Amino acid sequence: MPAADPPRRATDVAAAVADGRTSARAEVDAALARADALQATTNAFTDLLGERARAAADALDARLAAGEAAPPLAGVPIAVKANLAVAGVRTSAGAAILRDYVPPETATVVARLEAAGAIPIAMANLDAFGMGSSSEASVHGPVRNPVDPARVAGGSSGGSAAAVAGGAVPLAVGTDTGGSVRQPAAFTGVLGVKPTYGTLSRSGVIAYASSLDQVGLLAHDANDLAVALDAMVGRDPRDATSLDVPAVFARDLRTSPAADAGAGDAPLAGLRVGRVVETFGEGNAAEVEAATAATLARLEVLGAEVRDVAVPAAPAALAAYYLIASAEASSNLARYDGTIAGVRVGEDGDGQVAVTTASRGAGFGREVRRRILMGTFALSAGHVDAWYARALQVRRKVSDDLTAAFGHVDLLATPTAPGVAYPLGARVDDPLAMYLGDADTVLANLAGLGAISVPADVPGGALPVGLQLLAPPLGDGRLLQVAAALQRA
Ligand code: GLN
């Protein structure tokens, strides 16, 4: 496959491998070459997995040659965010303290994708531990946006987004604690989905904020997302919060009018979409307002009914999110003590306190330290009621408001982010400006809801904008159906 014409769809690759038009090895070799070229312009990857990927491809080709039936993602090259464990491969989470960490086991979701025939060809760059919105806070250096390499790719799954948008792979795995799949998808012009909390196992995900963390996927094509989700869902005994979600995303997409070419011109007839009024207007870039309005109008053309709805607690969500996420991070990251986990700085004779202090001081970057300090403060005696406990109350109110809104509509719509991809460095010294970009995405994580970012309608040559759609609990299939309808239109 020529490098100038990378495969846009995972299912096309799998079909070609299945019927022998190509081999898994040829697809993996081509993807590795594309990834190598993309790395030079974007720094999307922490590591390319050449040897491991080629061995997996050869093994798959041998099984197919021996007559085994082709799995649904046969030979599909994928990128995996470097905070998801892949056995035998450096999984740094973008952090100095895990710079040399090679896990002994593979994250459940990645193992399930591999069982379905997908082949990880690279670990994708990210903000350390997923803390950030621009993929600049990485020990491996910043990720650049393939759409405009002077700009950020978004974050924290910026490497995964760049890998898909830059054409190295048709599908990438990310994680989304407060928008880290959806916002980079918006900044690079691809689809990014974070399903309902519990849909995808977190076993093997390097924990950031466990009550918010969820695995997500990036791709160009809604059906690819559906096929990959089918491979990844299902209860995992290793994650007590995982749910037994049935693998029917692809089937439901196929049978939905939205994905049916013959469904006439109103494939979304009957769908009620609520435009969350608090997230539009003031505070958004003009191009975000224009692009999201155009895409909402397109939904109406496709038969949906778009109406305004209120989520009164929405403006308070961001502050609650940053308190809760930081509080959980301060606890999750306590394990990196330089002795049991993490790069060790200092000698035995220095004593545990000195080793831990030196290791954490050297191994955590500025942003991670900020989160640990903020989170520890929010949980500390005398402050916990004023900060953490109040944040939990706001979380409940956000959730209640969203539930109430779903009493009137099937899906909710917001911009994915209030702005477009900004120049590298523009926000590294202004954390508040960085955080403000997450105002719309954190709603879904606080409430545990599934959400997707779909590319909105921008004029030719303009920077990408995302429209975010949120579904009621376990309504993720509907998100894919709307994405498919927009894709077709
Ligand atoms: N930008 C948000 C944060 O820094 C979200 C990150 C994420 O989803 N991992 O917390």
Side-chain angles (χ1 to χ4, degrees), residues 17 32 42 44 113 180 224 321:
V17 170
L32 283 164
T42 65
L113 284 170
S180 278
D224 282 355
Y321 167 81

Side-chain angles (χ1 to χ4, degrees), residues 81 83 127 129-134 155-157 175-183 208 213 321-322 325 367 371 434-435 438 441-442 445:
K81 189 179 183 181
N83 64 349
D127 293 294
F129 291 106
M131 296 178 195
S133 312
S134 66
S156 63
S157 310
T175 61
D176 189 311
T177 304
S180 278
V181 162
R182 291 160 285 152
Q183 182 258 32
Y208 162 13
D213 292 344
Y321 167 81
Y322 270 93
E367 185 57 31
R371 306 291 180 102
M434 183 90 78
Y435 300 169
D438 302 332
T441 45
V442 300
N445 304 80

Side-chain angles (χ1 to χ4, degrees), residues 28-467:
V28 160
D29 281 338
L32 283 164
R34 293 192 301 265
D36 197 45
L38 187 66
Q39 178 67 0
T41 51
T42 65
N43 195 32
F45 307 112
T46 68
D47 294 276
L48 296 186
L49 312 183
E51 207 182 316
R52 186 182 189 279
R54 291 193 177 97
D58 289 344
L60 176 60
D61 285 333
R63 291 204 305 276
L64 297 180
E68 207 174 281
L73 293 169
V76 173
I78 61 170
V80 176
K81 189 179 183 181
N83 64 349
L84 288 122
V86 177
V89 166
R90 176 166 75 150
T91 303
S92 74
I97 206 159
L98 288 178
R99 173 168 224 145
D100 306 318
Y101 177 56
V102 177
E105 289 186 76
T106 299
T108 298
V109 287
V110 177
R112 287 180 178 176
L113 284 170
E114 289 187 290
I119 299 177
I121 62 123
M123 302 302 280
N125 203 352
L126 70 166
D127 293 294
F129 291 106
M131 296 178 195
S133 312
S134 66
S135 300
E136 296 172 283
S138 166
V139 71
H140 309 284
V143 179
R144 294 171 178 273
N145 193 326
V147 176
D148 175 357
R151 293 173 187 271
V152 301
S156 63
S157 310
S160 300
V164 173
V169 290
L171 181 72
V173 188
T175 61
D176 189 311
T177 304
S180 278
V181 162
R182 291 160 285 152
Q183 182 258 32
F187 278 16
T188 59
V190 304
L191 294 170
V193 67
K194 177 212 87 88
T196 302
Y197 186 85
T199 298
L200 298 177
S201 168
R202 290 178 296 109
S203 177
V205 175
I206 294 178
Y208 162 13
S210 306
S211 79
L212 302 159
D213 292 344
Q214 187 63 195
V215 173
L217 290 167
L218 300 102
H220 291 287
D221 179 65
N223 186 52
D224 282 355
L225 296 177
V227 172
L229 281 173
D230 283 344
M232 296 159 85
V233 295
R235 171 144 176 92
D236 177 10
R238 295 179 175 209
D239 175 359
T241 66
S242 71
L243 301 170
D244 202 10
V245 172
V248 293
F249 290 99
R251 184 203 72 189
D252 287 354
L253 191 54
R254 251 191 333 269
T255 56
S256 79
D260 180 358
D265 43 25
L268 299 182
L271 182 77
R272 299 162 303 166
V273 177
R275 182 181 168 279
V276 180
V277 292
E278 289 81 2
T279 66
F280 287 91
E282 209 195 320
N284 291 338
E287 58 260 61
V288 169
E289 286 286 303
T292 51
T295 304
L296 287 171
R298 188 184 289 269
L299 289 177
E300 287 179 316
V301 170
L302 293 171
E305 180 205 324
V306 179
R307 61 169 91 149
D308 284 355
V309 300
V311 179
L318 189 69
Y321 167 81
Y322 270 93
L323 281 162
I324 294 166
S326 299
E328 294 187 22
S330 73
S331 165
N332 271 329
L333 271 57
R335 71 189 66 168
Y336 304 105
D337 58 2
T339 298
I340 292 169
V343 169
R344 177 188 182 83
V345 177
E347 304 301 328
D348 282 0
D350 300 342
Q352 177 70 59
V353 171
V355 167
T356 295
T357 305
S359 301
R360 288 170 72 85
F364 290 142
R366 206 158 50 137
E367 185 57 31
V368 173
R369 278 204 293 273
R370 186 158 32 232
R371 306 291 180 102
I372 293 172
L373 289 171
M374 197 152 66
T376 305
F377 174 78
L379 289 173
S380 59
H383 297 290
V384 65
D385 288 338
W387 298 101
Y388 181 67
R390 270 191 75 201
L392 291 183
Q393 287 169 351
V394 172
R395 181 180 196 171
R396 161 65 53 185
K397 177 81 171 86
V398 168
S399 200
D400 288 349
D401 284 1
L402 289 166
T403 302
F406 284 123
H408 309 287
V409 294
D410 304 303
L411 299 177
L412 293 170
T414 80
T416 304
V420 294
Y422 39 87
L424 241 69
R427 296 191 186 169
V428 283
D429 293 318
D430 189 351
L432 198 57
M434 183 90 78
Y435 300 169
L436 285 170
D438 302 332
D440 303 328
T441 45
V442 300
L443 295 169
N445 304 80
L446 285 173
L449 300 176
I452 193 168
S453 179
V454 297
D457 294 66
V458 295
L463 290 167
V465 169
L467 177 75

